[in-house]
Every structure is written in C-alpha cells, then in structure tokens.
C-alpha cells in the first residue's frame, strides 16, 4: 500500500496500490510514467524505474523495485534513478527489495516480467512522441542466451560475430533467420524461436518468412544459401570463436563489509558469517563475486542508504566489475533467500500474520467465556480429482507385501509402512496415484523396501502413474482425501518392527482392540477426518482438538474449549468407527471427572492456546541441472506452463509439499532417480525456509500431470499432449505444420505395461450413475473433479507482460481427436528393438548384445536407443549368469520387485 508523503515525488503518488507493473522513465531529471502500451520497450539512452507489486494469497503486498540503466545512459541519470528507487522504497514503508539492472545483464526476475524478451531500442525515449522517428528497416544480428528467460544482445552484422555456442537471429526486411550454433542447447533454440515470433509479430506485423539454419549445414537448402549470401558467402566458423556472452566463473570467497557514514568499506567477516554480525543501525555490503548485496539496517536513514549504494558502485567501478555484477539492495527483515543462504543458521521466521493471529486470539477469548463463535472458512481443501475411486493398500513386511482387506484399508500402524494405490477416473482414462506411507516409528529397512515395492508396482501398472512419498504427521491433504477416513494406531505388525523393539527392550504398544487408548480427532469434513492414537498422558491433550479416551469399561469424549462445531461433528462420526458398543460420556474441558484423569495417569499441564496454522507463501518453480554428476538449482520467476520444458527436470516447491516434474526428453531415467533428486532438493533448502526432509514428495511425468498439480498453472491440455523436443514443438506451431514426432523410447518410463497389479486384480465398483464407485472407505465420498476448474490458480499471480505466442489451434487440439481414438500407449516389450517375447513370464530372447560396462546407468559410454527398463536383457547369457548368479529364465520368474532390487544393486535400474 502506498505511503505517499510530501517528501515523495508526485509521480509516485498511488504507486504500489494495485497489482502489476508500473514503469517510469527518467527524462530531463524528472520521472515520466510510461504507458502500458510501451511496457517492455526500453531505450538505450535512458534510465527507468520499474515497480512490480504482488498481492499474495496471505499477508501484505510484496514490492520489487528495479532500476534499469541502458548502455548509453549518462551518469547523472544513473545516480538519479538510484536515488528515486530509494525514495520509492521509503514511500512504500521501506519494505521492498531493490535491484540494479544493466542492459544485457538483467536478472531473471526482471526479464520474467517481459516475456518472451526485451530488445532495447537505440536512442532516447520522448514522452512527447513516445518513440523515435521511423527509419528505413535496419538489418540486425541478435544473439540469444538463456533457457527460461532470454538475454538479447545486438552484435555487429558480421560473419565474425557468429560462433558455435550461441543462437543468433538475423532480422531482415522480408525474412527472419534463426542460426543455431552446434553447441547450443535445445532449450536455448526453443526460447530463441519465441523471440523470432515476437519479432515477426511486433516488427513485421506478422508478415514475414521464418527460416532456421543449422550450424554446419551448407548445401541442399535455399534458406542456407540465402543466409550465408547476406554475409558475403559461406566461410567456416573457427572452433575457438568466443561466445558473445561472458561465462561467469565460480564465485570467490564471500566477504562482508561494513559501510561507514563516510562511505568507507571495512571488512568485518568472510565465509563463515552469521546474522549477529548485522547491526540494525548500520549498512553492509556482501560481496559474493557475481552478485553484490547491500543490507540496510532498519534504523538507518535515507541519506546513509544513499551513501552505502554510492560507495558500493564506486567499489565495483574501481575493481572493474561495474558491468558484470548484479546488485541487490535489501532492508533489514526482508532478506532474500539467496542472501540468507550465505549465513550460517539464519534464524527461521515462523510468525503468523497479524490478522490471522489476532482473529484466532479473539475467537479463543470469546470461546473460553462460553460464547458461540462461528468459524471463518478454513483453507480450501479441494480434492481436484474424483475421490470415488478404487483403493488398494499393501502393508510392507520385509520382503513381503500383504494386501489388506477392504475393512482394514483405513487402519494404519505407526510402526509400519504401507503402499497405497488409488485408481480414479480421469478425462478419458483411468489414472493411478501411488503413495508410500512411512510410519513415524517404522524401521529404516521397511522404509527402503516400501519405496522399492512401490516402484515395482508402478512399473507393472498401465499408464504413467503419479508417485508420492509421505511420512506420518507430514501427509499432504490429497492423501487424506483419497482415504476420507483414516485411523492411525500405535505399534506395528511388521516383523522388523517387532524385532527392533524386542532388541531395544521397548514395550510393544500395538493396538489390538478394546484396550485403554487416547485418540486425537482431526480433519476438515466427513470426507477428510482422522483419529490419531497418542500417548496415554494428560500432556497429549490440546484445547484446539477433541479426543476419545477409551478403556475396557467406559469411553469418554473430551471437547477442547477452542474446538469448533465442525470438530464436534467429526468426533461423533469417528466414535462410531472406533467403538460403537460402549455408551460415551461427553465431557467439556474443565469439567472432567477424576476417573478421566486417573485413566491418563493423573492431571498435568497441556497446551491451551489457539493452535495457529503456519503461514504458507506462494509456490516457487525451480529447474534442476544434473549433468556431469553436478546438482544445480535455478529459480524460474513468474512461471507459466510454458516453463515446463520437455528437456528439463523441475521442482514446484509449495512449501508443504513438493512436486518433481520430469520432462519426456530429460536425462532422468527412473522415478526412483527422481525421488533421489527430490531429497537432494529438500536437503539444500534453497529458499532457506526450513524445509523438512520429510516434506511430502510427488513425482509427476510430462503428459500425465494430475489436476492437483495443474491447478498451480493456467493449464492448456493441448500443450501437454505434444511430441518432439521443445524446439521441434515450437517450430511446428510457428510454421503451422502438424507434428508427426514420436517421444523417444529411450526416455520412456516403461517400455511395456500390463493390466494387472501384483495381486492380479483390478477391482472397480460402479455406481448407479455409471461413475466409478469407491471401494474401501466407510465414509461418504465427495466429488471434486468438477467443483473447481483446474485452470484456476491456487496462489496469487503477478501480472507480467506476456506476449501471447504460438496462439491458434494446436495440432494436438482435443477437437481434432475423435471420441473413439485410443490413447497413445508406450510400446510393449515385444515391439522394442532387439527383443522377441519368448513366453508369458517375461523371458526374452535378445537380438542385440552389449557389455555390462555400457549398459549400467553410470556408464561413461552408454548405449543409445535401448529399452532402459530392460537393460539386463541386453547382456550375453554368460555375463548375465556372472552378474546375477542365475539364468535369464530364472530371473524373469522372480517377482517384479525382486527383479528390480537385483537390478538396482548392479546399477541396471
């Protein structure tokens, strides 16, 4: 919200009161608002101030201030822009993050506002004309760098400007050429095509030809000849021709400087830093090599902040780093995740927002006084999928899996691990969702086997299911919604759990029926309710919940003073499931009889304050780079569905849960590998938000995204059904040609499928209305698939300037597919290259033989074009016997999970 004062420039009046971008250009040392029609058009001779305002789902507005400096901007305008950015920050209550943006070196966040790119215009902005005088069309050669946001740089129109590492765009009066260096990535070429489309629409009115030129292609194409003729004829590009973009070296050691009020820098620390070094009445500079941060204490004045920024710019200028270093200016309390990551054990802020905290406290006071307080709506718990599906649950018991009968499917033990398969009707096919549920008291061996078993079941299930891992007490809402009712008991049935507690001398607390036990009741509705057995002591109580206390002779229901009428309804429903034989004795908090406290071992203190839910921010999207054994993470700002690039592995961090999205052309070969990447991501805790390693993890594959994932995007199903790599997809749409491209089988999750699950059954119950009925849940079911469109965002979205690219009907539009068209299935094993199915048990005769060294997943010279789910089948009979200690025929008679376990031990899975 704007805090305009008499000391603030009148141009900033009302700034930040609405979501989206506001831009001012500096013209004759005054601020001139830039109309929205000109947003994204920057002149090289000007300086600009850009304010982006976001209103998140919870909490106050968030403001980012960028001041952009063109290459031809004079120093006076540069200083003026810096001062005005600080002035705007003060007007907004000193609660912004400021960025210094240099032409050609803009931050990814800045570029994300102006998709697909910005192409600076030579000259100076004029508010009178709004643009320069029109000249004759000028040929230009641009180089593009970036896979999710694109940096555009104009280079001399000369053959010597070309190289093998970058992607170039040659813009002529009648045709736009795209030249792809042989070392450039597919993602960069695809992004450059977006720039080509932007140039075509905005500079040519959509009326020009587009040609793509591959580095090293010389003959047989008229476009190639025309392209090289513009450079005076073809000549080879030297192999050592330098890139137009400087590659940033690894950051040197981090150094912290205190900036005095005279502008002098005094080093105060290096490498090992902690927050206590930052005093609130001082300003500091953190030198991270390619990035500079200026931290400004809450008690510093605007003049002190101006001195600090000026001193930092002088420091960079004196070191010759002014043109290659990003500068970010932060206020005490608003530190970015990247800044915090340079400090050891930066304290976590788990503060509820004042409004929510105040509302909860007032409600609690009224309830304690006996007044009836109506509950405000809870957080949206949409199921997003049809919860009338088929449920199967297996308990893990060492090397064995036990399929639970329907009556036992909603009863878990904390010492056990379970595998859950939920089959539900999708748009045109059944979809499967798998969970590995890991009990809080389960042993590590059972946890590992649960993941292995789940992967084996997933491999033998038709389609490409979503796979998830959930730890007790950290379950995602979707897990509870598919069960609708769940009871979690103490103890366990697993042989390993029994052996563990026996060896440790721990009392077996396994619940076997009518015995003394205390249950906490929780949930949001009859379609989402749970009873959790807790320790049989008074300190387990909490005023925010209701409880069931059961003994062999009586049963109490305990109603906390801060519980709601909804909680009371769930208590009655859960009581029927736990014990419907004894007549319950209902007691309210504060009126308990002695027999109640005696059953709990005596009265003791317990939490009586309102339990506040943790504040959850909007989700963040990250790209993972796992090449050459390295693990790098890069955030994608203002993300859209178009950022889900088929060559990438992405993580959607929703704070309470994360999703790993695997593109069809990515280098991730299995869902087990994706799960490992997810755990590495949690361990890194990029946002320094205190992510637990037990955070729920979903593994989602391209083309099989569930509605509870797509709800975070403005989702277009036609984009999710395209084939080919990202460059081929965009080129086909750009040229209006249908795509006849196949997804390469080497990256398929499975090269075969079978209809049955491990127990040989696919049970479905069909309701009278023809929909799938729910088997296995005692609670009434809820339909969520049509209650809310999956295209709706579940978070606040900034309003970047997005040029609509590649519009028009997709060649894979749903309307072009007949109702009876079968879904495209992965190739079966018998169709794979080099295989002949020998018998029904899975034994194969392989026509292609490769050595083990080339077949293992860690090979330095891997074989291409094979079925990666059957690496072992390419071994010779002799080498197979040597590695596995058995024949191929004996191997394929083993259970699928056992096969996978053996393959994993040999790096063939």
């Amino acid at each position: 919200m704007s805090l305009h004062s008499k000391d603030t420039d009148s141009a900033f009046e009302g700034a930040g009161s609405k979501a989206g971008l506001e831009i001012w250009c500096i013209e004759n040392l005054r601020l001139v608002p830039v109309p929205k029609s000109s947003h994204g058009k920057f002149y090289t001779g000007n300086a600009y101030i850009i304010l982006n305002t976001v209103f998140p789902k919870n909490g106050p507005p968030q403001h980012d201030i960028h001041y952009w400096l063109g290459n031809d901007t004079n120093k006076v305008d540069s200083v003026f822009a810096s001062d005005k950015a600080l002035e705007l920050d003060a007007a907004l209550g000193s609660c912004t993050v400021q960025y210094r943006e240099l032409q050609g070196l803009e931050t990814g966040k800045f570029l994300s506002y102006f998709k697909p790119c910005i192409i600076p215009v030579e000259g100076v902005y004029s508010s009178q004309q709004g643009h320069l005088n029109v000249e004759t069309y000028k040929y230009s050669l641009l180089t593009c760098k970036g896979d999710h946001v694109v940096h555009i740089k104009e280079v001399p129109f000369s053959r010597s400007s070309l190289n093998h590492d970058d992607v170039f765009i040659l813009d002529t009066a009648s045709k736009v050429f795209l030249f792809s260096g042989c070392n450039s990535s597919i993602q960069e070429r695809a992004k450059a095509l977006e720039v080509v489309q932007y140039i075509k629409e905005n500079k040519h009115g959509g009326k020009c030809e587009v040609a793509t030129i591959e580095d090293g292609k010389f003959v047989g194409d008229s476009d190639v000849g025309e392209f090289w003729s513009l450079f005076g004829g073809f000549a080879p590009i030297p192999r050592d021709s330098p890139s137009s973009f400087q590659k940033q070296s690894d950051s040197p050691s981090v150094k912290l400087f205190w900036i005095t009020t005279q502008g002098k820098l005094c080093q105060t620390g290096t490498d090992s830093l902690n927050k206590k070094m930052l005093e609130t009445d001082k300003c500091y500079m953190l030198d991270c090599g390619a990035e500079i941060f200026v931290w400004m204490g809450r008690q510093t004045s605007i003049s002190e902040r101006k001195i600090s920024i000026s001193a930092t710019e002088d420091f960079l200028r004196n070191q010759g780093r002014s043109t290659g270093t990003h500068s970010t200016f932060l206020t005490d309390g608003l530190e970015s995740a990247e800044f915090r990551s340079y400090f050891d054990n930066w304290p976590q802020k788990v503060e509820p927002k004042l409004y929510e905290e105040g509302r909860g406290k007032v409600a609690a006071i009224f309830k304690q006084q006996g007044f009836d307080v109506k509950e405000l709506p809870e957080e949206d718990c949409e199921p997003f999928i049809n919860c009338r599906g088929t449920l199967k649950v297996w308990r893990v018991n060492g090397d064995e899996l036990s399929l639970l009968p329907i009556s036992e499917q909603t009863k878990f033990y904390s010492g056990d691990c379970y595998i859950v398969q939920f089959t539900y009707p999708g748009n045109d096919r059944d979809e499967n969702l798998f969970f590995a549920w890991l009990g809080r008291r389960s042993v590590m061996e059972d946890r590992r086997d649960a993941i292995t078993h789940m992967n084996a079941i997933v491999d033998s299930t038709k389609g490409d299911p979503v796979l998830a891992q959930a730890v007790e007490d950290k379950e995602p809402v979707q897990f509870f919604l598919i069960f609708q009712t769940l009871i979690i008991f103490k103890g366990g049935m697993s042989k390993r759990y029994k052996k563990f507690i026996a060896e440790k001398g721990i009392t077996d607390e396994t619940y076997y029926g009518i015995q003394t036990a205390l249950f906490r009741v929780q949930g949001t509705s009859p379609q989402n309710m749970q009873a959790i057995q807790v320790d049989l002591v008074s300190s387990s109580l909490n005023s925010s919940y209701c409880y069931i206390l059961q003994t062999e002779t009586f049963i109490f229901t305990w109603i906390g003073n801060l519980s709601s009428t909804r909680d009371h309804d769930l208590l009655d429903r859960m009581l029927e499931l736990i014990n419907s034989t004894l007549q319950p004795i209902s007691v309210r908090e504060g009126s308990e009889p002695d027999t109640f406290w005696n059953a709990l071992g005596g009265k003791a203190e317990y939490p009586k304050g309102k339990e506040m839910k943790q504040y959850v921010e909007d989700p963040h999207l990250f790209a993972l780079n796992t090449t050459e054994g390295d693990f790098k993470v890069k955030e994608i700002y203002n993300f859209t569905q178009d950022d889900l690039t088929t060559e990438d592995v992405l993580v959607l961090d929703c704070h309470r849960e994360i999703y790993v999205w695997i593109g069809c052309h990515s280098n991730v070969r299995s869902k087990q590998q994706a799960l490992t990447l997810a755990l590495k991501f949690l361990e890194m805790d990029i946002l320094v938000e205190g992510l637990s390693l037990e955070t729920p993890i979903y593994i989602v594959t391209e083309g099989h995204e569930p509605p509870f994932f797509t709800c975070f995007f403005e989702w277009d199903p036609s984009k999710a059904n395209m084939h080919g790599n990202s460059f081929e997809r965009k080129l086909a749409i750009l040229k209006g040609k249908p795509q006849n491209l196949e997804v390469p089988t080497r990256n398929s999750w499975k090269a075969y499928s079978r209809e049955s699950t491990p127990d040989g059954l696919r049970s479905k119950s069909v309701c009278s209305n023809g929909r799938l009925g729910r088997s296995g849940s005692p609670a009434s079911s809820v339909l969520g698939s049509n209650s809310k469109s999956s295209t709706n965002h579940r978070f606040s979205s900034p309003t970047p300037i997005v040029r609509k690219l590649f519009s028009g009907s997709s060649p894979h539009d749903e309307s072009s597919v007949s109702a009876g068209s079968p879904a495209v299935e992965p190739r079966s094993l018998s169709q794979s290259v080099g295989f002949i199915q020998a018998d029904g048990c899975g034994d194969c005769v392989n026509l292609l033989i490769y050595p083990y060294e080339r077949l293992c997943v860690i090979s330095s010279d891997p074989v291409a074009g094979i079925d990666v789910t059957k690496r072992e089948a390419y071994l010779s009979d002799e080498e197979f016997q040597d590695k596995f200690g058995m024949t191929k025929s004996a191997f394929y008679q083993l259970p699928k999970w056992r096969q996978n376990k053996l393959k994993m031990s040999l790096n063939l899975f």
Side-chain angles (χ1 to χ4, degrees):
M1 129 182 247
S2 177
L3 302 174
H4 183 70
S5 69
K6 63 180 181 178
D7 297 325
T8 305
D9 195 304
S10 60
F12 289 144
E13 187 171 356
S17 58
K18 294 181 180 179
L21 287 176
E22 296 172 78
I23 302 178
W24 297 267
C25 179
I26 295 171
E27 183 182 11
N28 299 323
L29 291 182
R30 64 186 183 91
L31 293 172
V32 177
V34 177
K36 284 194 173 183
S37 59
S38 296
H39 283 192
K41 189 174 185 180
F42 295 90
Y43 287 88
T44 62
N46 289 105
Y48 294 80
I49 293 178
I50 299 92
L51 170 66
N52 184 55
T53 301
V54 174
F55 289 92
K57 186 177 179 181
N58 297 298
Q62 297 173 356
H63 305 286
D64 286 304
I65 298 174
H66 305 256
Y67 61 96
W68 185 89
L69 308 176
N71 286 340
D72 302 325
T73 306
N74 61 55
K75 186 176 180 180
V76 175
D77 283 353
S78 298
V79 174
F80 187 79
S82 175
D83 291 346
K84 286 298 178 182
L86 271 177
E87 186 178 311
L88 178 57
D89 171 65
L92 294 169
S94 295
C95 59
T96 75
V97 178
Q98 302 164 59
Y99 304 85
R100 175 173 169 259
E101 308 284 356
L102 301 178
Q103 180 183 334
L105 295 168
E106 296 88 355
T107 61
K109 175 175 280 192
F110 179 80
L111 291 175
S112 72
Y113 305 145
F114 308 102
K115 293 181 178 179
C117 65
I118 61 171
I119 303 178
V121 180
E122 289 188 10
V124 178
Y125 175 80
S126 171
S127 57
Q128 303 300 318
Q129 299 175 349
H131 55 80
L132 296 177
N133 294 328
V134 177
E135 301 176 356
T136 57
Y137 200 87
K138 176 188 173 184
Y139 286 20
S140 58
L141 183 63
L142 307 172
T143 182
C144 307
K145 197 72 173 177
D147 46 11
H148 287 283
V149 291
V150 188
H151 288 89
I152 304 295
K153 181 178 181 181
E154 185 169 1
V155 294
F157 183 18
S158 167
R159 186 192 297 110
S160 60
S161 296
L162 302 175
N163 61 65
H164 298 291
D165 297 324
D166 296 328
V167 181
F168 295 84
I169 296 173
L170 176 58
D171 181 17
T172 71
S174 60
K175 185 179 287 189
V176 180
F177 296 88
L178 178 72
F179 176 85
S180 302
C182 59
N183 297 328
S184 61
S185 70
I186 295 294
Q187 296 98 310
E188 286 181 320
R189 299 180 190 188
K191 274 296 172 183
L193 272 180
E194 293 185 8
V195 179
V196 169
Q197 179 76 358
Y198 171 71
I199 292 172
K200 178 181 177 179
E201 291 179 353
N202 291 273
K203 295 184 71 175
H204 296 270
K207 298 177 181 179
C208 73
E209 295 182 55
V210 173
T212 57
I213 311 298
E214 293 182 25
D215 186 7
K217 186 176 180 180
F218 312 128
V219 295
D221 191 322
S222 59
D223 288 332
V224 174
E226 183 180 354
F227 174 79
W228 287 112
S229 69
L230 294 170
F231 291 93
F234 171 77
I237 301 172
R239 283 291 165 192
D240 57 352
S241 188
S243 171
S244 305
F245 291 88
Q246 296 178 352
K247 291 185 179 180
Q248 293 182 349
S249 58
D250 294 335
S251 297
S253 59
V254 177
K255 299 176 183 178
L256 182 67
F257 297 86
W258 164 46
I259 307 174
T260 69
T261 53
Q262 290 77 37
K264 183 181 178 181
L265 272 63
C266 304
Q267 186 169 338
T268 60
T270 179
D271 292 332
S272 183
L273 307 175
N274 62 74
K275 189 178 185 298
K276 293 180 180 179
M277 294 180 174
L278 305 175
E279 300 180 31
T280 58
D281 60 346
K282 293 182 174 64
C283 293
Y284 297 84
M285 183 190 79
L286 184 68
D287 184 1
C288 307
E291 183 89 28
I292 289 284
F293 294 94
V294 175
W295 185 90
M296 300 172 288
R298 279 283 176 189
Q299 299 177 30
T300 56
S301 64
I302 290 184
S303 60
E304 287 177 305
R305 297 180 182 190
K306 286 182 178 179
I307 291 171
S308 298
I309 293 174
S310 178
T312 300
E313 292 178 348
D314 289 341
F315 170 80
L316 293 175
R317 194 178 300 111
N318 293 336
Q319 290 203 346
R321 296 164 55 192
S322 59
T323 59
T325 306
H326 288 139
S327 299
T328 304
F329 310 105
L330 306 161
T331 305
D332 182 7
L334 294 166
E335 298 84 1
S336 65
E338 186 176 0
F339 177 82
R340 286 181 277 133
S341 68
Y342 290 107
F343 291 78
D344 297 331
N345 302 316
W346 187 278
Q348 294 294 322
K349 289 194 303 181
V350 187
E351 301 174 358
K353 296 302 173 184
L354 292 178
Y355 172 72
E356 285 84 354
E357 183 180 31
R359 184 185 72 178
K361 286 183 176 178
V362 170
I365 291 172
F366 274 97
K367 283 189 177 183
Q368 287 175 340
Q369 297 298 322
F371 291 99
D372 183 23
V373 180
K374 288 188 177 182
E375 293 294 308
L376 291 178
E378 288 282 338
E379 183 182 352
D380 188 16
C381 291
E382 291 282 357
F384 289 101
I385 62 173
N386 189 335
C387 287
R388 292 192 177 211
T390 304
L391 191 65
K392 291 184 181 180
V393 181
W394 294 267
R395 181 186 293 120
V396 176
N397 192 8
D399 290 343
E400 302 173 0
L401 281 182
S402 303
L403 180 65
L404 301 186
I406 290 176
S407 60
E408 299 295 317
Q409 285 181 346
T410 57
K411 299 174 182 178
F412 282 17
Y413 286 89
S414 186
D416 292 337
C417 295
Y418 296 83
I419 297 169
V420 178
Q421 178 184 5
F422 183 66
T423 305
Y424 62 95
N427 290 331
D428 55 359
R429 63 192 174 199
D430 280 356
E431 301 287 357
N432 284 286
L433 171 60
F434 283 88
F435 278 97
W437 186 87
L438 313 178
R440 176 65 58 190
R441 305 298 179 187
S442 60
V443 297
M444 190 57 65
E445 292 89 342
D446 279 350
R447 293 188 176 200
R448 282 196 291 262
D449 278 348
I451 301 300
T452 302
H453 288 314
M454 178 173 64
N455 277 294
I457 299 174
V458 167
D459 283 345
S460 63
T461 303
K462 185 178 180 180
D464 209 342
V466 175
L467 176 152
Q469 173 183 298
V471 179
E472 182 185 353
D473 297 335
K474 298 284 186 179
E475 300 92 343
V477 173
Q478 193 62 53
F479 178 82
F480 289 135
L481 288 172
I482 64 175
F483 277 93
Q484 301 179 8
T485 300
L486 186 64
I487 304 174
I488 301 177
F489 298 108
K490 280 179 165 290
M493 300 294 188
S494 163
K495 291 181 291 187
R496 286 172 175 159
Y497 171 76
K498 297 292 189 185
K499 180 181 178 182
F500 172 79
I501 61 174
E503 290 176 349
K504 298 292 183 181
I506 301 173
T507 303
D508 189 352
E509 298 180 297
T510 303
Y511 183 89
Y512 288 106
I514 301 300
Q515 62 191 66
T516 304
L518 180 65
F519 297 90
R520 183 181 72 243
V521 178
Q522 62 187 38
T524 59
S525 72
Q527 290 77 40
N528 175 15
M529 60 179 187
Q530 304 87 42
I532 314 296
Q533 187 179 358
V534 295
D535 291 338
L536 192 64
V537 291
S538 302
S539 57
S540 295
L541 300 175
N542 187 308
S543 298
S544 296
Y545 293 97
C546 295
Y547 291 79
I548 297 171
L549 174 59
Q550 171 188 273
T551 70
E552 295 180 1
T553 56
F554 56 81
I555 187 166
F556 283 101
T557 58
W558 186 86
I559 301 172
N561 285 336
L562 302 181
S563 61
S564 65
T565 53
R566 180 203 61 203
D567 297 326
H568 307 162
D569 176 56
L570 299 183
L571 176 65
D572 294 337
R573 292 173 182 268
M574 196 59 76
L575 184 63
E576 287 294 315
L577 298 174
I578 291 178
N579 191 324
S580 59
T581 58
L582 293 176
Q583 180 66 31
I585 304 170
S586 180
V587 297
R588 281 195 168 269
E589 182 179 0
S591 60
E592 302 87 353
D594 291 340
T595 51
F596 177 87
W597 295 119
N598 291 339
L600 294 177
K603 191 173 182 179
E605 288 298 315
Y606 58 86
K608 296 181 180 179
K610 178 67 176 177
E611 189 171 271
M612 301 301 299
K613 289 188 175 181
Q614 186 176 354
Y615 171 69
V616 178
E617 297 181 357
D618 287 347
H620 296 254
L621 184 67
F622 298 89
L624 304 186
N625 187 336
T626 58
T627 56
E628 299 176 0
D630 202 0
F631 187 83
K632 294 182 180 178
V633 179
K634 180 173 66 175
E635 183 167 4
I636 301 170
Y637 299 98
N638 297 323
F639 61 85
T640 66
Q641 183 185 354
D642 289 333
D643 289 307
L644 302 178
T645 310
T646 186
E647 292 81 16
D648 283 336
V649 181
L650 301 164
V651 172
L652 183 66
D653 180 0
C654 300
H655 308 281
R656 290 178 179 171
E657 60 204 25
I658 68 169
Y659 297 82
V660 179
W661 182 90
I662 311 298
C664 290
H665 291 74
S666 71
N667 59 1
V668 171
R669 308 291 181 172
S670 69
K671 292 189 177 181
Q672 176 61 54
Q673 185 183 355
L675 193 58
T676 302
L677 294 177
L679 293 172
K680 283 186 179 180
F681 178 86
L682 292 176
E683 188 176 355
M684 290 181 71
D685 193 12
I686 303 300
L687 295 175
V688 198
E689 57 184 328
L691 272 181
S692 168
L693 290 176
E694 297 177 347
T695 301
I697 299 168
Y698 288 97
I699 308 299
V700 177
T701 54
E702 181 183 7
H704 296 268
E705 297 87 353
F708 50 88
F709 173 80
T710 61
C711 64
F712 293 104
F713 302 82
E714 294 289 346
W715 196 259
D716 180 356
S718 64
K719 292 181 179 179
N721 295 325
M722 298 175 68
H723 298 304
N725 63 40
S726 54
F727 177 78
E728 291 167 333
R729 296 179 187 189
K730 292 184 178 178
L731 182 61
I733 298 174
L734 178 62
K735 294 196 171 186
K737 296 179 181 179
Q739 290 177 287
N740 298 312
L741 305 170
E742 294 293 332
V743 179
T745 56
R746 67 181 182 85
N747 281 335
S748 298
W749 293 108
K750 300 178 289 292
Y752 74 100
S753 61
R754 64 178 185 232
E755 186 73 12
S756 62
T757 45
D759 60 336
L761 300 174
R762 258 179 92 80
S763 61
K764 295 180 184 177
S765 57
V766 181
C767 300
S768 58
N769 60 5
R771 293 189 176 183
L772 268 179
R774 169 66 183 275
S775 64
S777 175
S780 59
S781 52
V782 58
L783 281 175
S785 58
N786 297 321
S787 60
K788 186 174 182 181
S789 170
S790 65
T791 59
N792 289 342
H793 282 281
R794 292 180 65 191
F795 60 97
S796 57
S797 174
T799 53
I801 302 173
V802 181
R803 282 78 162 189
K804 186 162 183 171
L805 300 180
F806 313 121
S807 57
S809 62
S810 165
H812 295 272
D813 191 284
E814 291 178 355
S815 61
S816 65
V817 181
S818 63
S821 299
V824 177
E825 297 291 343
R827 294 194 305 170
S828 67
L829 181 60
S830 59
Q831 294 171 313
S832 299
V833 176
F835 284 108
I836 297 177
Q837 191 75 20
D839 53 46
C841 71
D843 198 359
C844 299
V845 177
N846 184 15
L847 303 180
L848 300 175
I849 301 296
Y850 297 101
Y852 168 80
E853 289 73 18
R854 296 194 63 196
L855 290 170
C856 62
V857 293
I858 58 175
S859 173
S860 58
D861 182 26
V863 181
I866 63 170
D867 177 359
V868 295
T869 67
K870 281 288 182 179
R871 295 176 185 272
E872 77 286 351
Y874 295 92
L875 292 169
S876 67
D877 291 341
E878 295 76 16
E879 194 165 19
F880 190 101
Q881 178 75 42
D882 178 61
K883 295 294 182 183
F884 286 87
M886 66 183 76
T887 64
K888 288 185 179 179
S889 180
F891 175 80
Y892 288 119
Q893 295 292 337
L894 296 173
K896 184 68 177 176
W897 67 265
R898 181 66 176 162
Q899 294 179 26
N900 289 339
K901 198 167 186 179
L902 288 171
K903 290 196 291 183
M904 287 175 67
S905 66
L906 294 170
N907 290 314
L908 291 171
F909 183 79

